[in-house]
């Protein structure tokens, strides 16, 4: 019984650690949205879209559409392909 509880506790810890890392990644990508380089902004928008793909489809499409707009405006083919 104690082995089962220990295993459940470890799985819970890994889940919390993963969530904390996602939050840090989201924060760092959101800071890049104000970067003067449009290429970095496109990469950040695509990164945010990827992170939210499993949890929030509205945010995913919002970030991806913004990335597509910027990529079209700047002829950033790689950023455009990633956004699609």
């Amino acid at each position: 019984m104690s082995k089962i509880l220990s295993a459940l506790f470890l799985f819970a810890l890994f889940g919390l650690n993963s969530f904390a890392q996602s939050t840090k990644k989201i924060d760092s990508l959101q800071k890049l949205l104000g970067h003067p380089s449009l290429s970095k902004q496109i990469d950040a928008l695509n990164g945010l879209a990827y992170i939210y793909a499993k949890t929030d489809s509205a945010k995913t499409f919002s970030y991806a559409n913004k990335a597509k707009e910027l990529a079209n405006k700047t002829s950033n083919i790689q950023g455009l392909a990633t956004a699609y």
Side-chain angles (χ1 to χ4, degrees):
M1 181 69 166
S2 67
K3 288 183 180 182
I4 294 172
L5 288 175
S6 298
L8 288 174
F9 179 73
L10 285 175
F11 284 124
L13 267 173
F14 289 130
L16 291 174
N17 189 24
S18 173
F19 178 73
Q21 289 176 350
S22 292
T23 303
K24 288 179 184 178
K25 181 75 170 173
I26 289 169
D27 289 344
S28 66
L29 288 172
Q30 286 178 334
K31 286 180 185 176
L32 283 176
L33 295 178
H35 197 277
S37 167
L38 293 179
S39 178
K40 288 199 184 279
Q41 288 180 27
I42 293 167
D43 291 342
L45 288 165
N46 282 327
L48 287 165
Y50 181 77
I51 289 172
Y52 283 114
K54 295 180 182 179
T55 59
D56 192 338
S57 61
K59 284 185 180 180
T60 297
F61 287 110
S62 175
Y63 286 125
N65 286 332
K66 288 177 187 175
K68 285 191 286 188
E69 288 175 18
L70 275 179
N72 273 327
K73 196 184 294 185
T74 60
S75 300
N76 184 329
I77 302 301
Q78 184 177 1
L80 184 61
T82 304
Y84 275 111

